[in-house]
Amino acid sequence: MRMILKIYLLTFLSGIFILPVNSLASEQPQMIPTIIFGQRLALQGIAEKIDIQADNKPEGNFKPSSFQFKLLRVVPLRNRINDPFNERTLASVIKNAQRPRGSTSNTFNPSILSSEGPVSQINCALNINLSVLTGLPDARPLGNTININTSAPFNLQLGLGAFNSALNIAIISQLNQTQANITLGAGFTLISGSLGIKSEGSTLSYAVRRNSDSAEFNLNFRFLVERVFDDNGISIQSISGQLCQQGGPV
Amino acid sequence: MSKLTLISILFIVAAFSVQQLSARNFRSMIKIPVAPKSDIVDPNIQVLKNNTQGFKPVDRQLVEKGIKEILASWNTNELSNYLVDNFQDKRLLLTSINRAVPRETKLRLLAVQGISTLEQSWLVNKKTSQRQLKNIVIATVELQIEFNDPFNGMVLLPHTSQFYLQIIESE
């Protein structure tokens, strides 16, 4: 009370207004004597300036009036752990395909089973290690560099084990629909199934014979190209293979 | 203090100084070229303070507003205004959308799951003394691409992505 009286007295006598100013940003308000020449607007400006420079707490009395939004990056979450898409993305399938394996012929891994394999035939009892061997040309299926177009199709090799490419799949994107040109891999003979241009989403089934040991396989897969914000992710919806006739020694 | 002690101290000090001088001669600074920071290009903007802890909470509605603005610009020429200059493959993204995505295709926001603030800093415009709060926010969003396919009818492609957003609040 005495202080306020002194301030008013001083104002009256000298015309200079001396006012204790609360620090606007400090958590503990402190009194900063500020000399003001009769202008209330200047009071606030000076107070804030002192506050910013002295206390390094510029957040006091901050009332934003305009906002600017910028996008730095987009990360698809489909290949995250516990994500329902986790095991179906091409990246995941390729990663599985790159695991070290034994010989490709007459070596079976029943622990790797298809989750959605539609084929169940009497003579094809054993699941085999059918997987996407690689994605060409850059093997980065979920990156931003994926650019599927008619002039440069994205090539997948669907194979048995680490070496044999039983089917080659060239993904082609058209205006509203993504298609794939399915061709037979080198060293295999087609027993049944339709090669050529196939649309995404359809389940494709093939029976092939490996020339090296006459082993016969049923191969099934289904692919889908999903456009996310900034890339085209190729999602293998299902993939399975079964051995129908065991081959001789390679 | 004896003369011998004094001489010994002087000798040690002199030896140390010579060693420092020679070390200075051998050291040379080779500047490593780095890419300029592209987030603050205005020379008038000065960083006042980087919040390393105790972030000021970013309003969820503000983040959702930003996401909706960005999504509304998707599949239009306005999208480039919402991408930072160093957005990965910015031109490729814009041309790919123009070429591969049908014009009526919309990217719809289904839900914003979680929002976290990664970075926060206070800026000031040296000329106007205008303060700015720059936030780097990560948001998990559920999106859906919708378009009408002449063969398959209405096509819906839901997916989940993480958006890294830069939100600048200016007073």
Side-chain angles (χ1 to χ4, degrees):
Chain A
M1 190 66 184
R2 280 184 182 177
M3 194 173 181
I4 294 172
L5 285 175
K6 280 182 184 175
I7 289 166
Y8 279 113
L9 185 62
L10 195 59
T11 306
F12 179 75
L13 291 176
S14 65
I16 298 172
F17 196 70
I18 301 177
L19 187 68
V21 178
N22 271 338
S23 172
L24 297 170
S26 307
E27 292 173 359
Q28 296 175 345
Q30 49 184 312
M31 307 299 276
I32 303 172
T34 308
I35 300 175
I36 302 297
F37 295 94
Q39 294 181 14
R40 288 187 62 83
L41 286 177
L43 167 70
Q44 191 176 3
I46 291 174
E48 285 181 0
K49 196 169 185 180
I50 290 171
D51 186 39
I52 289 169
Q53 290 174 348
D55 298 341
N56 197 24
K57 288 187 176 178
E59 55 267 42
N61 199 25
F62 180 71
K63 291 179 180 174
S65 58
S66 64
F67 308 94
Q68 184 197 59
F69 306 101
K70 290 277 185 180
L71 190 59
L72 302 169
R73 193 179 168 204
V74 177
V75 180
L77 290 187
R78 289 170 299 160
N79 53 350
R80 277 202 152 192
I81 295 172
N82 296 330
D83 190 276
F85 292 100
N86 185 34
E87 294 303 321
R88 299 195 310 204
T89 56
L90 180 61
S92 175
V93 176
I94 288 177
K95 194 176 176 184
N96 289 336
Q98 288 170 345
R99 287 176 184 164
R101 295 193 189 94
S103 168
T104 56
S105 62
N106 300 332
T107 302
F108 311 111
N109 185 0
S111 64
I112 302 177
L113 302 174
S114 162
S115 58
E116 300 178 38
V119 172
S120 176
Q121 294 182 12
I122 297 172
N123 295 327
C124 302
L126 292 174
N127 283 285
I128 58 169
N129 209 357
L130 175 65
S131 57
V132 176
L133 297 179
T134 185
L136 302 174
D138 54 10
R140 286 188 295 169
L142 292 178
N144 289 319
T145 54
I146 288 296
N147 187 15
I148 303 167
N149 56 49
T150 50
S151 60
F154 186 77
N155 295 299
L156 304 177
Q157 289 186 327
L158 195 69
L160 309 162
F163 306 106
N164 300 75
S165 177
L167 294 172
N168 297 321
I169 307 158
I171 306 287
I172 305 165
S173 181
Q174 295 183 343
L175 186 62
N176 284 339
Q177 198 176 19
T178 299
Q179 295 181 324
N181 188 12
I182 316 291
T183 55
L184 197 64
F188 285 84
T189 303
L190 183 71
I191 300 173
S192 66
S194 173
L195 300 172
I197 303 291
K198 301 295 171 190
S199 298
E200 63 174 318
S202 54
T203 300
L204 303 168
S205 299
Y206 298 93
V208 296
R209 179 184 299 114
R210 187 162 56 197
N211 297 338
S212 60
D213 60 351
S214 299
E216 294 179 1
F217 305 90
N218 268 348
L219 311 176
N220 307 277
F221 71 98
R222 184 169 178 263
F223 74 98
L224 200 66
V225 175
E226 292 179 342
R227 293 185 183 92
V228 293
F229 190 90
D230 60 348
D231 68 6
N232 288 329
I234 302 168
S235 172
I236 302 294
Q237 299 288 299
S238 69
I239 181 170
S240 69
Q242 290 174 304
L243 176 70
C244 304
Q245 179 177 316
Q246 195 156 345
V250 178
Chain B
M1 187 181 292
S2 67
K3 282 186 179 177
L4 187 62
T5 312
L6 189 64
I7 290 169
S8 302
I9 293 171
L10 286 174
F11 180 76
I12 292 169
V13 169
F16 183 69
S17 305
V18 169
Q19 193 179 8
Q20 271 199 330
L21 283 174
S22 63
R24 268 183 212 156
N25 287 340
F26 280 112
R27 283 180 190 154
S28 60
M29 180 181 170
I30 301 172
K31 195 175 179 184
I32 299 171
V34 293
K37 285 189 174 180
S38 60
D39 51 345
I40 300 174
V41 291
D42 191 345
N44 294 321
I45 297 294
Q46 177 193 353
V47 178
L48 284 177
K49 181 185 176 187
N50 288 317
N51 280 4
T52 52
Q53 54 185 354
F55 293 138
K56 180 179 180 287
V58 182
D59 189 3
R60 184 182 178 88
Q61 290 182 342
L62 180 65
V63 178
E64 289 183 0
K65 179 175 180 286
I67 292 171
K68 284 176 182 172
E69 278 189 23
I70 293 168
L71 296 185
S73 72
W74 187 81
N75 204 12
T76 71
N77 292 330
E78 297 294 314
L79 179 61
S80 62
N81 298 331
Y82 288 98
L83 302 179
V84 289
D85 292 337
N86 57 346
F87 191 91
Q88 186 182 0
D89 293 328
K90 181 177 179 178
R91 287 188 178 178
L92 179 60
L93 167 63
L94 296 171
T95 50
S96 296
I97 288 178
N98 277 338
R99 189 181 57 242
V101 178
R103 286 195 175 180
E104 73 277 7
T105 306
K106 297 294 178 194
L107 186 56
R108 196 158 69 88
L109 178 66
L110 297 180
V112 179
Q113 293 177 349
I115 296 170
S116 303
T117 305
L118 297 180
E119 290 178 28
Q120 198 170 66
S121 53
W122 289 92
L123 317 173
V124 67
N125 190 314
K126 287 186 274 187
K127 281 188 176 177
T128 62
S129 298
Q130 183 193 43
R131 286 177 297 171
Q132 293 179 331
L133 178 60
K134 190 182 83 167
N135 305 288
I136 305 296
V137 175
I138 181 170
T140 304
V141 292
E142 285 185 36
L143 305 170
Q144 184 164 271
I145 292 178
E146 301 174 348
F147 63 95
N148 204 359
D149 185 84
F151 301 102
N152 300 319
M154 190 68 178
V155 177
L156 307 175
L157 299 175
H159 55 275
T160 307
S161 294
Q162 274 184 334
F163 277 22
Y164 287 72
L165 294 165
Q166 174 184 281
I167 301 175
I168 295 180
E169 305 175 44
S170 305
E171 65 178 356

